[in-house]
Amino acid sequence: MKKIYILVLIFLFSCKKEKICNCGVITWDYGNTTAIYPYQTIVVKNDCSGNERHFDVIPTSVYEHIWIGEKYCVINIYHW
């Protein structure tokens, strides 16, 4: 019976929990507001992986309040 408990404990402690990492630092931005396409592009460097990713659907209302070097968290993307 002790062997079963030990095996269960080993199994529980060996599972890695996935870390949600959807924040990073803005490294680049490109404002391109037109009547047809009123969105901006930013590049964010992930805090966990160091990877950079372009996000080009940032509404102008959000873009006006963010700056290069600031921390930015993305919704609905958990890591990149």
Side-chain angles (χ1 to χ4, degrees):
M1 193 66 166
K2 286 183 181 182
K3 290 181 182 180
I4 293 174
Y5 289 126
I6 292 172
L7 289 175
V8 170
L9 287 174
I10 290 172
F11 176 74
L12 290 175
F13 287 110
S14 66
C15 294
K16 290 184 179 180
K17 294 184 179 181
E18 187 171 327
K19 184 178 181 181
I20 296 175
C21 194
N22 62 337
C23 295
V25 175
I26 299 170
T27 59
W28 184 78
D29 69 350
Y30 176 71
N32 184 20
T33 303
T34 63
I36 298 170
Y37 191 74
Y39 293 98
Q40 318 304 324
T41 298
I42 62 172
V43 177
V44 179
K45 184 175 183 179
N46 189 290
D47 287 339
C48 298
S49 68
N51 295 333
E52 290 186 340
R53 183 165 177 176
H54 292 253
F55 296 97
D56 46 313
V57 290
I58 306 299
T60 304
S61 61
V62 173
Y63 181 78
E64 293 172 347
H65 302 286
I66 58 175
W67 306 97
I68 292 175
E70 283 189 344
K71 190 169 193 82
Y72 186 77
C73 295
V74 182
I75 299 171
N76 295 332
I77 295 178
Y78 300 108
H79 45 70
W80 66 86

